[in-house]
Amino acid sequence: LKINTAKPYQILIERGCLRRAGEEAARVFPGGAKTVIVTDSNVGPIYAHAVASSLEAAGFQSSVFPFPAGEEHKRTTNILGMYAAFSDRGLTRSDFVVALGGGVTGDMAGFAAATYLRGIRFLQIPTSLLAQIDSSVGGKTGVDLPQGKNLVGAFHQPSLVLIDPDTLSTLPDAFFADGLGEAIKYGCIRDGELFGRIAAGGVKDEIEPIIYRCVDIKREFVERDELDNGDRMLLNFGHTFGHALEKLHAYKDLTHGEAVGIGMVMMSRCGEAAGLTEPGTAEKIARVLSEYGMPVSDPADPDLIREATQVDKKSRGDNINLVLLRHIGESFLHPIPRAELGRFMEALS
Ligand code: NAD
Ligand code: ZN
């Protein structure tokens, strides 16, 4: 796949491509360039060696910067560690960074690359389902602050994305389900057939075409709206209430994908009540989620959810941009005045 942002780049989806990272990188980066492979403490021990030897074999000089795995380590102290590693290793603007891991690794390594020397290039090798279908494509990078998630960041497109579905064989099941929540989202907003394929079950054994379709949908939205001022917001389907639920759960007990899943059901229920969404849509989404063992509702008080929604950093001004489905496979933006959110949510009480 080729993605046509201001600076176009390739996304390769192929079993085993991680082990050919050097060859693939050689098409994009200058021979003899130096690189630091940023990876976390779970992914590094499994895959860093293969990536490093492939890069070395292709004539790149590589070293590894590991950091502790987990969202709680998506912190600026680790960014500073990366800058130090880049500097010790003598990276210049003709060198590059490799992000090898899940979304946490990609977001942080991408942000470090975006800001070091005012920006050096980077290669994404996403290893979680969520990173493969979502975070590695589109150029959003960033890091959490004590004040909130992803509060500091930059748009910085990778120079190449290598998606190796084989890496999913070592991904813990809970994280696989988490990524699947986003895959269901892509089906909801853009592709009824994709939704049906996931609903039919057994996706783990034929995940490749699903990854391909999800990435292609993300590509389409990112190309139309690289800086996220319009259509790209449709990718936030399920996220308005999803983020609120994550916050109410203090980012524990509920994964991001689970929260988004519940958010999709809630939003569709409200859409149905408002006569904007085809009746039965919320039920269809709920059925797929339960098929994969994901929750479809949350006991949180709708009033608290509404309050937590009001302070979402992505909503601007007096209006709040809701993403609704017309039916499975078609979505639209529905801006409403903040003051009307309570009434819109009445279907939930
Ligand atoms: P993650 O990077 O923490 O990975 C999840 C867990 O799986 C980690 O413990 C990781 O070590 C492990 N792991 C990853 N790949 C593995 C593999 N192949 N084998 C074994 N273990 C593996 O989290 P995530 O779910 O990948 O991503 C979540 C992050 O992505 C969040 O911080 C979120 O903000 C960010 N995100 C960014 C964007 C974007 O557009 N930039 C979009 C969505 C999410
Ligand atoms: Zn998401």
Side-chain angles (χ1 to χ4, degrees), residues 130 134 182 185 235 239 243 256 260:
L130 184 111
D134 189 354
E182 300 283 350
K185 176 199 77 180
L235 294 167
H239 283 63
H243 284 147
H256 175 71
V260 169

Side-chain angles (χ1 to χ4, degrees), residues 76-130:
T76 49
T77 43
N78 281 316
I79 301 287
L80 296 178
M82 290 173 204
Y83 294 150
F86 300 168
S87 167
D88 291 347
R89 190 63 201 173
L91 292 199
T92 67
R93 291 176 96 171
S94 51
D95 299 317
F96 62 101
V97 171
V98 176
L100 171 67
V104 167
T105 304
D107 278 16
M108 281 207 293
F111 180 69
T115 45
Y116 188 69
L117 303 178
R118 297 199 182 81
I120 64 176
R121 300 203 289 163
F122 81 117
L123 162 65
Q124 284 272 22
I125 310 182
T127 61
S128 70
L129 181 58
L130 184 111

Side-chain angles (χ1 to χ4, degrees), residues 199-211:
V203 292
K204 217 167 179 176
D205 306 320
E206 44 161 339
I207 194 70
E208 228 175 311
I210 290 174
I211 295 174

